[in-house]
Amino acid sequence: MITKHIRIQLAVFVVLALIVGAALTIGYMQAPARWFGIGRYTVRVQLPVSGNLYQGSAVTYRGTEIGRVQAVRLTNSGVEAELSLTSGITVPSDLDAEVHSQNAIGEQYVALLPRNSTSSPLRNGAVIPRSRTSVPPDIGSLLDAVNKGVQAIPRDNLKTVIDESSIAFGNLGPEISRIVRNGSALAIDAAKSRDELTALIDGAKPILDTQTDTSDAVKAWAAHLATVTGQLRSQDNAVAGVLTKAGPAADEVGQLLDRVKPTLPILLANLVSVGAVALLYQNDIEQLLVLIPQGVDILQGFGVANLNTKQGLRGLNMAFNLNLNMPPPCATGYLPAQQRRPPTFEDAPDRPAGDLYCRIPQDSPYRDVRGARNLPCETVPGKRAPTVKLCESKEQYVPLNDGNNWKGDPNATYTGQAVPQLPPKAATPLPLEETPSSPSGPPSVDLPPPNAPPPVPAVAAAQYDPATGTYVGPDGSTYSQTDLAQDAPKERTWQTMMMPPTTK
Protein backbone atom coordinates (compact mmCIF):
# COMPACT_ATOMS: atom_id res chain seq x y z
CA MET A 1 0.00 0.00 0.00
CA ILE A 2 1.43 3.47 -1.01
CA THR A 3 0.41 6.10 1.42
CA LYS A 4 -0.47 9.64 0.56
CA HIS A 5 2.75 10.91 2.10
CA ILE A 6 4.85 8.68 -0.16
CA ARG A 7 2.90 9.78 -3.23
CA ILE A 8 3.64 13.42 -2.44
CA GLN A 9 7.36 12.64 -2.04
CA LEU A 10 7.40 10.75 -5.34
CA ALA A 11 5.66 13.67 -7.10
CA VAL A 12 8.18 16.18 -5.70
CA PHE A 13 11.06 13.90 -6.74
CA VAL A 14 9.69 13.60 -10.28
CA VAL A 15 9.29 17.41 -10.58
CA LEU A 16 12.83 18.02 -9.33
CA ALA A 17 14.19 15.38 -11.70
CA LEU A 18 12.43 17.01 -14.62
CA ILE A 19 13.78 20.47 -13.65
CA VAL A 20 17.33 19.16 -13.26
CA GLY A 21 17.09 17.26 -16.53
CA ALA A 22 15.78 20.33 -18.36
CA ALA A 23 18.54 22.46 -16.87
CA LEU A 24 21.20 19.95 -17.93
CA THR A 25 19.68 19.62 -21.36
CA ILE A 26 19.31 23.36 -21.97
CA GLY A 27 22.23 24.85 -20.00
CA TYR A 28 24.97 22.23 -20.07
CA MET A 29 24.22 20.17 -23.14
CA GLN A 30 22.77 23.22 -24.97
CA ALA A 31 20.33 20.92 -26.70
CA PRO A 32 18.18 23.70 -28.26
CA ALA A 33 21.21 25.21 -29.91
CA ARG A 34 22.64 21.83 -30.97
CA TRP A 35 19.43 20.32 -32.18
CA PHE A 36 17.35 23.30 -33.31
CA GLY A 37 19.96 26.13 -33.71
CA ILE A 38 18.15 28.45 -31.30
CA GLY A 39 20.35 31.51 -30.36
CA ARG A 40 23.04 30.50 -32.83
CA TYR A 41 24.08 31.31 -36.41
CA THR A 42 26.41 29.48 -38.75
CA VAL A 43 29.52 30.80 -40.52
CA ARG A 44 31.70 28.79 -42.91
CA VAL A 45 35.50 29.11 -42.99
CA GLN A 46 37.53 27.96 -46.00
CA LEU A 47 40.98 26.54 -45.05
CA PRO A 48 43.87 25.21 -47.15
CA VAL A 49 44.29 22.26 -44.70
CA SER A 50 42.53 21.17 -41.53
CA GLY A 51 45.46 22.13 -39.28
CA ASN A 52 44.32 19.37 -36.82
CA LEU A 53 41.05 21.25 -36.33
CA TYR A 54 38.26 18.94 -35.13
CA GLN A 55 34.55 19.06 -34.43
CA GLY A 56 33.88 20.76 -31.11
CA SER A 57 36.95 23.01 -31.20
CA ALA A 58 36.47 26.40 -29.60
CA VAL A 59 35.94 29.63 -31.55
CA THR A 60 37.21 32.87 -29.91
CA TYR A 61 36.74 36.57 -30.62
CA ARG A 62 39.15 38.99 -28.91
CA GLY A 63 40.23 36.15 -26.61
CA THR A 64 36.66 35.24 -25.54
CA GLU A 65 34.92 32.03 -26.57
CA ILE A 66 31.83 32.77 -28.66
CA GLY A 67 31.11 29.40 -30.33
CA ARG A 68 32.22 25.95 -31.43
CA VAL A 69 33.30 24.18 -34.61
CA GLN A 70 30.20 22.31 -35.67
CA ALA A 71 31.74 20.31 -38.55
CA VAL A 72 34.97 19.92 -40.55
CA ARG A 73 34.68 18.50 -44.07
CA LEU A 74 36.75 18.19 -47.22
CA THR A 75 36.10 20.25 -50.34
CA ASN A 76 37.54 20.23 -53.87
CA SER A 77 39.96 23.06 -52.98
CA GLY A 78 40.77 22.27 -49.34
CA VAL A 79 38.87 22.06 -46.07
CA GLU A 80 35.75 23.83 -44.91
CA ALA A 81 34.95 24.33 -41.21
CA GLU A 82 31.41 25.17 -40.12
CA LEU A 83 31.31 27.47 -37.08
CA SER A 84 28.32 27.80 -34.77
CA LEU A 85 28.46 31.27 -33.11
CA THR A 86 26.37 32.91 -30.38
CA SER A 87 23.81 35.34 -31.76
CA GLY A 88 24.15 37.88 -28.95
CA ILE A 89 27.75 38.85 -29.82
CA THR A 90 28.36 41.21 -32.76
CA VAL A 91 31.41 40.25 -34.84
CA PRO A 92 32.58 42.53 -37.73
CA SER A 93 32.50 40.88 -41.13
CA ASP A 94 35.89 42.37 -42.14
CA LEU A 95 38.11 39.93 -40.21
CA ASP A 96 40.74 37.19 -40.41
CA ALA A 97 40.27 33.59 -39.18
CA GLU A 98 43.37 31.87 -37.81
CA VAL A 99 43.79 28.33 -36.44
CA HIS A 100 46.03 28.19 -33.33
CA SER A 101 47.17 25.63 -30.78
CA GLN A 102 45.62 26.10 -27.39
CA ASN A 103 48.19 24.06 -25.43
CA ALA A 104 51.32 21.94 -25.87
CA ILE A 105 49.49 18.76 -26.84
CA GLY A 106 48.09 20.40 -29.96
CA GLU A 107 44.47 21.25 -29.06
CA GLN A 108 43.36 23.61 -31.83
CA TYR A 109 40.88 26.49 -31.87
CA VAL A 110 39.74 29.17 -34.32
CA ALA A 111 40.56 32.84 -33.50
CA LEU A 112 38.49 35.54 -35.22
CA LEU A 113 40.62 38.73 -35.57
CA PRO A 114 38.70 41.82 -36.82
CA ARG A 115 40.47 44.30 -39.10
CA ASN A 116 38.28 47.21 -37.98
CA SER A 117 35.21 47.86 -35.87
CA THR A 118 33.17 49.80 -38.46
CA SER A 119 32.25 47.04 -40.92
CA SER A 120 28.86 45.34 -40.94
CA PRO A 121 28.41 42.33 -38.56
CA LEU A 122 28.58 38.69 -39.64
CA ARG A 123 25.31 37.13 -40.76
CA ASN A 124 24.03 33.57 -40.84
CA GLY A 125 25.55 31.74 -43.80
CA ALA A 126 28.51 34.12 -44.22
CA VAL A 127 31.70 32.69 -45.76
CA ILE A 128 35.24 33.69 -44.72
CA PRO A 129 37.37 33.16 -47.88
CA ARG A 130 40.60 31.23 -47.94
CA SER A 131 42.59 34.47 -48.53
CA ARG A 132 41.65 35.56 -45.01
CA THR A 133 42.44 32.34 -43.16
CA SER A 134 45.66 30.74 -41.92
CA VAL A 135 46.65 27.52 -40.17
CA PRO A 136 49.72 26.76 -38.03
CA PRO A 137 52.57 24.69 -39.51
CA ASP A 138 52.39 20.94 -39.06
CA ILE A 139 53.87 19.93 -35.69
CA GLY A 140 55.58 16.91 -37.20
CA SER A 141 57.35 18.96 -39.85
CA LEU A 142 58.28 21.52 -37.20
CA LEU A 143 59.80 18.82 -34.94
CA ASP A 144 61.70 17.35 -37.89
CA ALA A 145 63.10 20.82 -38.71
CA VAL A 146 64.09 21.34 -35.08
CA ASN A 147 65.75 17.92 -34.95
CA LYS A 148 67.71 18.68 -38.12
CA GLY A 149 68.72 22.06 -36.71
CA VAL A 150 69.94 20.52 -33.46
CA GLN A 151 71.89 17.85 -35.34
CA ALA A 152 73.54 20.59 -37.42
CA ILE A 153 74.99 22.22 -34.28
CA PRO A 154 78.41 20.81 -33.38
CA ARG A 155 78.29 19.03 -30.02
CA ASP A 156 81.48 20.65 -28.77
CA ASN A 157 80.21 24.12 -29.63
CA LEU A 158 76.83 23.34 -28.08
CA LYS A 159 78.59 22.21 -24.90
CA THR A 160 80.59 25.46 -24.94
CA VAL A 161 77.39 27.51 -25.33
CA ILE A 162 75.75 25.66 -22.45
CA ASP A 163 78.82 26.06 -20.22
CA GLU A 164 79.14 29.76 -21.03
CA SER A 165 75.40 30.25 -20.46
CA SER A 166 75.78 28.55 -17.07
CA ILE A 167 78.59 30.96 -16.20
CA ALA A 168 76.64 33.99 -17.55
CA PHE A 169 73.38 33.18 -15.78
CA GLY A 170 74.85 31.53 -12.71
CA ASN A 171 73.55 32.91 -9.42
CA LEU A 172 71.15 35.16 -11.33
CA GLY A 173 68.06 33.23 -10.38
CA PRO A 174 66.46 36.06 -8.33
CA GLU A 175 67.10 38.64 -11.07
CA ILE A 176 65.75 36.37 -13.81
CA SER A 177 62.77 35.56 -11.62
CA ARG A 178 62.19 39.30 -11.16
CA ILE A 179 62.38 39.83 -14.93
CA VAL A 180 59.86 37.04 -15.48
CA ARG A 181 57.50 38.40 -12.83
CA ASN A 182 57.72 41.92 -14.18
CA GLY A 183 57.19 40.59 -17.71
CA SER A 184 54.10 38.72 -16.52
CA ALA A 185 52.79 41.84 -14.78
CA LEU A 186 53.43 43.86 -17.95
CA ALA A 187 51.57 41.26 -20.01
CA ILE A 188 48.64 41.31 -17.55
CA ASP A 189 48.46 45.13 -17.70
CA ALA A 190 48.65 44.96 -21.49
CA ALA A 191 45.77 42.48 -21.48
CA LYS A 192 43.72 44.90 -19.36
CA SER A 193 44.47 47.69 -21.83
CA ARG A 194 43.83 45.52 -24.84
CA ASP A 195 41.24 47.84 -26.38
CA GLU A 196 43.50 50.87 -26.01
CA LEU A 197 46.45 48.97 -27.50
CA THR A 198 44.27 47.80 -30.38
CA ALA A 199 43.13 51.39 -31.02
CA LEU A 200 46.77 52.50 -30.87
CA ILE A 201 47.80 49.87 -33.40
CA ASP A 202 44.89 50.78 -35.67
CA GLY A 203 45.76 54.49 -35.38
CA ALA A 204 49.44 53.88 -36.09
CA LYS A 205 48.69 53.01 -39.72
CA PRO A 206 48.03 56.63 -40.87
CA ILE A 207 51.26 57.75 -39.19
CA LEU A 208 53.23 54.96 -40.85
CA ASP A 209 51.56 55.82 -44.16
CA THR A 210 52.79 59.41 -43.83
CA GLN A 211 56.31 58.09 -43.31
CA THR A 212 55.92 56.02 -46.46
CA ASP A 213 54.57 58.99 -48.40
CA THR A 214 57.50 61.19 -47.30
CA SER A 215 60.12 58.56 -48.03
CA ASP A 216 61.52 60.68 -50.90
CA ALA A 217 61.92 63.68 -48.59
CA VAL A 218 63.62 61.49 -45.96
CA LYS A 219 65.98 60.11 -48.61
CA ALA A 220 66.78 63.65 -49.78
CA TRP A 221 67.42 64.73 -46.19
CA ALA A 222 69.72 61.75 -45.66
CA ALA A 223 71.55 62.57 -48.89
CA HIS A 224 72.01 66.20 -47.82
CA LEU A 225 73.20 65.06 -44.40
CA ALA A 226 75.69 62.73 -46.09
CA THR A 227 76.93 65.68 -48.19
CA VAL A 228 77.37 67.84 -45.06
CA THR A 229 79.21 65.10 -43.19
CA GLY A 230 81.37 64.48 -46.26
CA GLN A 231 82.29 68.16 -46.38
CA LEU A 232 83.12 68.10 -42.66
CA ARG A 233 85.30 65.06 -43.19
CA SER A 234 87.13 66.66 -46.14
CA GLN A 235 87.59 69.88 -44.16
CA ASP A 236 88.69 68.15 -41.00
CA ASN A 237 91.78 70.33 -40.59
CA ALA A 238 89.79 73.54 -40.98
CA VAL A 239 87.18 72.37 -38.47
CA ALA A 240 89.94 71.39 -36.05
CA GLY A 241 91.48 74.85 -36.51
CA VAL A 242 88.16 76.51 -35.75
CA LEU A 243 87.74 74.44 -32.60
CA THR A 244 91.32 75.19 -31.56
CA LYS A 245 91.03 78.94 -32.12
CA ALA A 246 87.48 79.28 -30.80
CA GLY A 247 88.66 79.56 -27.19
CA PRO A 248 91.12 82.45 -27.75
CA ALA A 249 88.61 84.16 -30.03
CA ALA A 250 85.96 83.91 -27.32
CA ASP A 251 88.43 85.44 -24.84
CA GLU A 252 89.08 88.33 -27.21
CA VAL A 253 85.33 88.87 -27.61
CA GLY A 254 84.96 88.86 -23.84
CA GLN A 255 87.71 91.47 -23.45
CA LEU A 256 86.08 93.58 -26.17
CA LEU A 257 82.74 93.45 -24.36
CA ASP A 258 84.48 94.44 -21.10
CA ARG A 259 86.02 97.46 -22.84
CA VAL A 260 82.74 98.62 -24.37
CA LYS A 261 80.68 97.84 -21.28
CA PRO A 262 80.50 101.52 -20.11
CA THR A 263 79.30 102.81 -23.50
CA LEU A 264 77.45 99.80 -24.89
CA PRO A 265 74.26 100.31 -22.77
CA ILE A 266 74.08 103.94 -23.93
CA LEU A 267 74.53 102.87 -27.54
CA LEU A 268 71.86 100.19 -27.22
CA ALA A 269 69.49 102.65 -25.54
CA ASN A 270 70.01 105.09 -28.41
CA LEU A 271 69.49 102.28 -30.91
CA VAL A 272 66.12 101.58 -29.29
CA SER A 273 65.01 105.10 -30.21
CA VAL A 274 66.49 104.73 -33.68
CA GLY A 275 64.72 101.39 -34.06
CA ALA A 276 61.40 102.92 -33.04
CA VAL A 277 61.83 105.69 -35.64
CA ALA A 278 62.93 103.16 -38.28
CA LEU A 279 59.88 101.04 -37.50
CA LEU A 280 57.62 104.07 -37.90
CA TYR A 281 59.26 104.98 -41.22
CA GLN A 282 59.57 101.40 -42.44
CA ASN A 283 57.66 102.05 -45.66
CA ASP A 284 59.79 105.13 -46.45
CA ILE A 285 63.02 103.19 -45.84
CA GLU A 286 61.84 100.39 -48.11
CA GLN A 287 60.99 102.94 -50.81
CA LEU A 288 64.48 104.48 -50.49
CA LEU A 289 66.08 101.06 -50.78
CA VAL A 290 64.09 100.54 -53.98
CA LEU A 291 64.83 103.96 -55.50
CA ILE A 292 68.50 104.41 -54.53
CA PRO A 293 69.76 101.62 -56.86
CA GLN A 294 67.70 103.11 -59.69
CA GLY A 295 69.10 106.57 -58.96
CA VAL A 296 72.66 105.25 -58.93
CA ASP A 297 71.94 103.51 -62.22
CA ILE A 298 70.71 106.78 -63.73
CA LEU A 299 73.75 108.69 -62.45
CA GLN A 300 76.06 106.09 -63.92
CA GLY A 301 74.19 106.37 -67.20
CA PHE A 302 75.22 110.04 -67.54
CA GLY A 303 78.66 108.94 -68.66
CA VAL A 304 77.48 106.39 -71.23
CA ALA A 305 77.46 109.06 -73.98
CA ASN A 306 81.22 109.64 -73.46
CA LEU A 307 82.08 105.96 -73.23
CA ASN A 308 84.98 104.97 -75.54
CA THR A 309 85.35 108.55 -76.77
CA LYS A 310 88.11 111.15 -76.53
CA GLN A 311 86.29 112.93 -73.74
CA GLY A 312 86.26 109.78 -71.63
CA LEU A 313 84.90 110.55 -68.18
CA ARG A 314 86.10 114.14 -68.02
CA GLY A 315 82.60 115.50 -68.16
CA LEU A 316 78.91 114.63 -68.24
CA ASN A 317 76.46 115.53 -70.94
CA MET A 318 73.84 117.59 -69.17
CA ALA A 319 71.45 120.31 -70.38
CA PHE A 320 70.59 123.25 -68.13
CA ASN A 321 67.40 125.17 -68.87
CA LEU A 322 67.25 128.04 -66.38
CA ASN A 323 63.55 128.73 -65.86
CA LEU A 324 63.81 131.47 -63.26
CA ASN A 325 60.71 131.98 -61.14
CA MET A 326 58.81 129.32 -63.08
CA PRO A 327 56.99 128.53 -60.95
CA PRO A 328 57.45 131.57 -58.71
CA PRO A 329 58.54 131.03 -55.09
CA CYS A 330 55.91 130.56 -52.41
CA ALA A 331 55.66 133.44 -49.90
CA THR A 332 52.36 132.49 -48.24
CA GLY A 333 52.87 131.16 -44.72
CA TYR A 334 56.28 132.75 -44.18
CA LEU A 335 57.10 136.02 -42.45
CA PRO A 336 55.91 139.14 -44.24
CA ALA A 337 58.47 140.85 -46.39
CA GLN A 338 59.02 143.68 -43.92
CA GLN A 339 59.95 141.13 -41.20
CA ARG A 340 62.41 139.11 -43.26
CA ARG A 341 66.09 139.44 -42.49
CA PRO A 342 68.30 140.59 -45.34
CA PRO A 343 70.81 137.93 -46.42
CA THR A 344 73.68 140.35 -45.72
CA PHE A 345 73.19 140.09 -41.95
CA GLU A 346 75.82 137.94 -40.24
CA ASP A 347 74.31 137.59 -36.75
CA ALA A 348 72.53 134.44 -35.45
CA PRO A 349 69.16 135.38 -33.99
CA ASP A 350 66.76 132.91 -32.40
CA ARG A 351 64.50 130.87 -34.62
CA PRO A 352 61.05 132.42 -35.18
CA ALA A 353 58.32 130.81 -33.11
CA GLY A 354 56.02 128.32 -34.79
CA ASP A 355 56.30 126.44 -38.07
CA LEU A 356 57.22 128.16 -41.33
CA TYR A 357 56.05 126.45 -44.51
CA CYS A 358 54.15 127.19 -47.71
CA ARG A 359 50.44 127.45 -46.81
CA ILE A 360 48.76 127.46 -50.17
CA PRO A 361 46.23 124.70 -51.06
CA GLN A 362 47.62 121.19 -51.10
CA ASP A 363 46.51 120.54 -54.68
CA SER A 364 47.96 123.79 -56.05
CA PRO A 365 49.89 122.97 -59.27
CA TYR A 366 51.66 126.31 -59.43
CA ARG A 367 54.34 126.20 -56.75
CA ASP A 368 55.99 124.06 -54.09
CA VAL A 369 54.11 120.89 -55.06
CA ARG A 370 56.23 118.78 -52.71
CA GLY A 371 56.19 121.24 -49.83
CA ALA A 372 55.67 120.43 -46.17
CA ARG A 373 51.88 120.75 -46.53
CA ASN A 374 51.85 117.57 -48.66
CA LEU A 375 53.95 115.40 -46.36
CA PRO A 376 52.18 112.03 -45.74
CA CYS A 377 51.27 111.28 -42.13
CA GLU A 378 53.06 108.13 -41.00
CA THR A 379 50.58 107.27 -38.24
CA VAL A 380 47.42 108.20 -40.20
CA PRO A 381 47.40 106.54 -43.64
CA GLY A 382 45.83 108.67 -46.37
CA LYS A 383 46.23 111.97 -44.54
CA ARG A 384 48.75 114.69 -45.44
CA ALA A 385 49.75 117.51 -43.10
CA PRO A 386 52.80 119.71 -42.48
CA THR A 387 53.24 118.90 -38.75
CA VAL A 388 53.02 115.84 -36.51
CA LYS A 389 50.54 117.63 -34.26
CA LEU A 390 48.16 118.25 -37.16
CA CYS A 391 48.65 114.65 -38.37
CA GLU A 392 47.64 113.16 -35.03
CA SER A 393 44.72 115.55 -34.48
CA LYS A 394 41.26 115.49 -36.04
CA GLU A 395 41.84 118.85 -37.70
CA GLN A 396 42.48 119.13 -41.43
CA TYR A 397 44.97 121.36 -43.20
CA VAL A 398 43.54 124.84 -43.95
CA PRO A 399 45.35 126.97 -46.59
CA LEU A 400 45.73 130.74 -46.25
CA ASN A 401 44.71 131.51 -49.81
CA ASP A 402 43.96 129.76 -53.06
CA GLY A 403 46.47 131.31 -55.45
CA ASN A 404 49.91 132.76 -55.99
CA ASN A 405 49.21 136.18 -54.48
CA TRP A 406 48.95 137.08 -50.81
CA LYS A 407 45.31 137.98 -50.26
CA GLY A 408 43.64 139.57 -47.31
CA ASP A 409 45.44 140.70 -44.19
CA PRO A 410 49.17 141.35 -44.71
CA ASN A 411 49.87 139.41 -41.53
CA ALA A 412 48.03 136.37 -43.01
CA THR A 413 45.70 135.87 -40.07
CA TYR A 414 42.43 136.68 -41.84
CA THR A 415 41.45 133.04 -42.39
CA GLY A 416 41.66 132.27 -38.69
CA GLN A 417 44.75 130.09 -38.99
CA ALA A 418 47.69 131.37 -36.97
CA VAL A 419 50.93 132.17 -38.78
CA PRO A 420 54.36 131.92 -37.07
CA GLN A 421 55.68 135.33 -36.04
CA LEU A 422 58.92 136.77 -34.69
CA PRO A 423 59.70 136.50 -30.97
CA PRO A 424 58.26 139.27 -28.72
CA LYS A 425 61.57 141.18 -28.78
CA ALA A 426 61.25 141.74 -32.54
CA ALA A 427 60.77 145.22 -33.81
CA THR A 428 57.29 144.57 -35.18
CA PRO A 429 55.60 141.84 -33.11
CA LEU A 430 52.47 140.27 -34.54
CA PRO A 431 49.56 138.74 -32.56
CA LEU A 432 50.08 135.02 -32.03
CA GLU A 433 48.46 132.51 -29.68
CA GLU A 434 50.95 129.91 -28.55
CA THR A 435 50.89 127.04 -26.11
CA PRO A 436 53.93 126.01 -24.01
CA SER A 437 56.01 123.35 -25.70
CA SER A 438 58.66 120.93 -24.55
CA PRO A 439 62.31 122.11 -24.50
CA SER A 440 63.14 119.57 -27.22
CA GLY A 441 61.05 121.22 -29.97
CA PRO A 442 59.63 124.50 -31.19
CA PRO A 443 56.52 125.94 -29.58
CA SER A 444 53.27 124.67 -31.04
CA VAL A 445 50.55 126.87 -32.51
CA ASP A 446 46.94 126.51 -31.39
CA LEU A 447 44.36 126.48 -34.15
CA PRO A 448 40.98 128.13 -33.57
CA PRO A 449 38.03 125.80 -33.03
CA PRO A 450 35.97 124.81 -36.10
CA ASN A 451 33.28 127.28 -37.29
CA ALA A 452 34.81 130.05 -35.17
CA PRO A 453 34.34 133.62 -36.49
CA PRO A 454 37.48 135.02 -38.13
CA PRO A 455 39.48 137.39 -35.97
CA VAL A 456 39.66 141.09 -36.74
CA PRO A 457 42.54 141.74 -39.12
CA ALA A 458 45.52 143.30 -37.43
CA VAL A 459 46.93 146.61 -38.63
CA ALA A 460 50.22 146.25 -40.47
CA ALA A 461 52.76 148.97 -41.30
CA ALA A 462 55.43 149.11 -43.96
CA GLN A 463 58.33 151.55 -44.37
CA TYR A 464 58.37 153.48 -47.64
CA ASP A 465 60.80 155.73 -49.41
CA PRO A 466 59.52 159.32 -48.99
CA ALA A 467 61.46 160.42 -52.05
CA THR A 468 59.84 157.98 -54.49
CA GLY A 469 56.85 156.58 -52.53
CA THR A 470 57.92 152.91 -53.02
CA TYR A 471 57.56 150.17 -50.40
CA VAL A 472 57.77 146.39 -50.12
CA GLY A 473 54.46 144.57 -49.71
CA PRO A 474 53.77 141.43 -47.59
CA ASP A 475 54.20 139.24 -50.68
CA GLY A 476 57.75 140.52 -51.28
CA SER A 477 56.86 142.65 -54.34
CA THR A 478 57.80 146.32 -54.57
CA TYR A 479 54.90 148.80 -54.91
CA SER A 480 54.83 152.52 -55.69
CA GLN A 481 52.35 154.96 -54.13
CA THR A 482 52.81 158.21 -56.07
CA ASP A 483 50.94 160.37 -53.61
CA LEU A 484 53.52 159.51 -50.94
CA ALA A 485 56.43 161.06 -52.85
CA GLN A 486 57.79 164.50 -51.96
CA ASP A 487 56.84 165.93 -55.33
CA ALA A 488 53.28 164.66 -55.15
CA PRO A 489 50.53 167.26 -55.43
CA LYS A 490 49.42 168.56 -52.07
CA GLU A 491 45.77 168.54 -53.00
CA ARG A 492 44.18 165.11 -53.19
CA THR A 493 40.78 164.22 -54.51
CA TRP A 494 38.61 161.28 -53.68
CA GLN A 495 39.36 159.84 -57.14
CA THR A 496 43.10 159.67 -56.40
CA MET A 497 42.40 157.93 -53.09
CA MET A 498 40.45 155.17 -54.90
CA MET A 499 43.24 154.47 -57.39
CA PRO A 500 45.29 151.27 -56.57
CA PRO A 501 49.04 151.54 -56.12
CA THR A 502 51.27 150.76 -59.08
CA THR A 503 53.82 147.95 -59.02
CA LYS A 504 57.38 148.55 -60.00
Side-chain angles (χ1 to χ4, degrees):
M1 296 293 294
I2 299 176
T3 62
K4 182 178 180 180
H5 180 68
I6 294 175
R7 292 177 180 174
I8 294 174
Q9 289 180 344
L10 291 174
V12 172
F13 176 76
V14 171
V15 171
L16 291 176
L18 292 176
I19 293 174
V20 172
L24 292 174
T25 303
I26 296 174
Y28 181 74
M29 297 177 60
Q30 298 182 353
R34 290 178 179 272
W35 298 340
F36 308 106
I38 299 175
R40 315 285 290 185
Y41 66 97
T42 302
V43 175
R44 290 179 297 166
V45 179
Q46 296 177 353
L47 301 171
V49 294
S50 65
N52 296 326
L53 193 66
Y54 57 92
Q55 183 179 2
S57 298
V59 180
T60 64
Y61 171 66
R62 295 184 182 273
T64 303
E65 184 177 339
I66 62 170
R68 291 281 176 174
V69 178
Q70 192 170 2
V72 179
R73 51 181 172 268
L74 291 173
T75 62
N76 295 330
S77 59
V79 178
E80 183 179 78
E82 185 176 334
L83 310 182
S84 178
L85 307 180
T86 304
S87 300
I89 300 175
T90 302
V91 180
S93 58
D94 187 7
L95 51 76
D96 295 330
E98 298 180 356
V99 179
H100 294 282
S101 297
Q102 190 170 3
N103 49 44
I105 63 175
E107 185 178 357
Q108 309 299 323
Y109 70 97
V110 178
L112 301 180
L113 305 176
R115 295 188 174 185
N116 57 64
S117 59
T118 58
S119 59
S120 58
L122 283 175
R123 301 296 182 185
N124 185 36
V127 177
I128 301 176
R130 181 174 175 177
S131 59
R132 298 227 178 150
T133 61
S134 64
V135 295
D138 182 62
I139 189 64
S141 301
L142 181 61
L143 293 177
D144 291 340
V146 172
N147 187 23
K148 292 179 181 179
V150 172
Q151 291 177 357
I153 299 175
R155 293 182 179 272
D156 294 338
N157 295 341
L158 182 59
K159 182 178 182 302
T160 302
V161 171
I162 295 174
D163 293 340
E164 293 296 333
S165 300
S166 176
I167 297 173
F169 295 102
N171 300 324
L172 295 178
E175 287 75 8
I176 296 176
S177 177
R178 188 181 302 110
I179 292 174
V180 173
R181 288 197 303 270
N182 293 337
S184 300
L186 180 62
I188 293 172
D189 293 339
K192 293 179 180 178
S193 304
R194 181 167 42 206
D195 295 337
E196 290 78 4
L197 291 175
T198 304
L200 178 63
I201 294 173
D202 293 339
K205 185 178 182 302
I207 299 177
L208 298 178
D209 290 341
T210 58
Q211 298 300 314
T212 304
D213 296 338
T214 58
S215 59
D216 295 337
V218 174
K219 292 179 181 178
W221 176 82
H224 296 162
L225 182 60
T227 303
V228 173
T229 55
Q231 291 293 331
L232 291 176
R233 182 175 56 187
S234 61
Q235 302 295 330
D236 181 69
N237 295 331
V239 175
V242 171
L243 297 178
T244 303
K245 298 177 181 179
D251 294 338
E252 293 293 336
V253 173
Q255 295 176 7
L256 175 62
L257 294 178
D258 291 337
R259 289 195 298 269
V260 301
K261 184 180 297 182
T263 57
L264 184 60
I266 300 175
L267 175 62
L268 295 179
N270 294 336
L271 288 179
V272 170
S273 302
V274 174
V277 175
L279 181 61
L280 180 62
Y281 290 92
Q282 177 183 357
N283 297 330
D284 306 78
I285 296 174
E286 292 180 357
Q287 185 68 12
L288 284 177
L289 295 177
V290 172
L291 296 179
I292 286 177
Q294 300 179 7
V296 173
D297 184 33
I298 294 173
L299 291 176
Q300 292 177 346
F302 288 164
V304 174
N306 293 332
L307 187 63
N308 299 326
T309 63
K310 295 181 179 180
Q311 289 79 10
L313 296 178
R314 290 180 297 177
L316 300 177
N317 293 331
M318 299 180 65
F320 294 92
N321 186 8
L322 301 179
N323 295 324
L324 299 179
N325 289 332
M326 295 179 64
C330 177
T332 304
Y334 297 96
L335 296 178
Q338 63 270 25
Q339 296 183 12
R340 299 174 191 167
R341 299 179 65 257
T344 58
F345 288 3
E346 298 180 356
D347 57 344
D350 295 334
R351 179 184 180 276
D355 299 313
L356 299 175
Y357 55 90
C358 182
R359 298 198 178 187
I360 61 177
Q362 291 178 324
D363 56 352
S364 175
Y366 302 107
R367 58 178 71 181
D368 200 16
V369 177
R370 298 181 180 179
R373 70 188 189 281
N374 285 325
L375 292 177
C377 297
E378 295 294 338
T379 57
V380 184
K383 184 177 180 181
R384 295 177 179 268
T387 63
V388 176
K389 180 179 180 181
L390 188 57
C391 276
E392 296 180 351
S393 67
K394 296 182 179 180
E395 301 293 336
Q396 297 294 330
Y397 170 79
V398 179
L400 291 180
N401 59 50
D402 56 354
N404 298 328
N405 298 324
W406 192 307
K407 298 181 180 180
D409 177 38
N411 296 330
T413 59
Y414 182 78
T415 59
Q417 181 175 350
V419 176
Q421 305 298 334
L422 292 175
K425 64 181 181 180
T428 308
L430 298 178
L432 179 66
E433 296 180 358
E434 298 181 354
T435 57
S437 61
S438 61
S440 61
S444 59
V445 179
D446 288 337
L447 298 177
N451 302 325
V456 178
V459 178
Q463 296 181 357
Y464 69 96
D465 186 358
T468 60
T470 59
Y471 64 93
V472 178
D475 57 353
S477 301
T478 303
Y479 295 89
S480 176
Q481 189 75 18
T482 57
D483 56 358
L484 297 178
Q486 292 179 354
D487 56 352
K490 301 301 181 180
E491 296 182 0
R492 301 173 183 173
T493 63
W494 66 270
Q495 290 89 348
T496 60
M497 297 178 63
M498 296 295 292
M499 293 294 293
T502 59
T503 303
K504 265 192 161 187

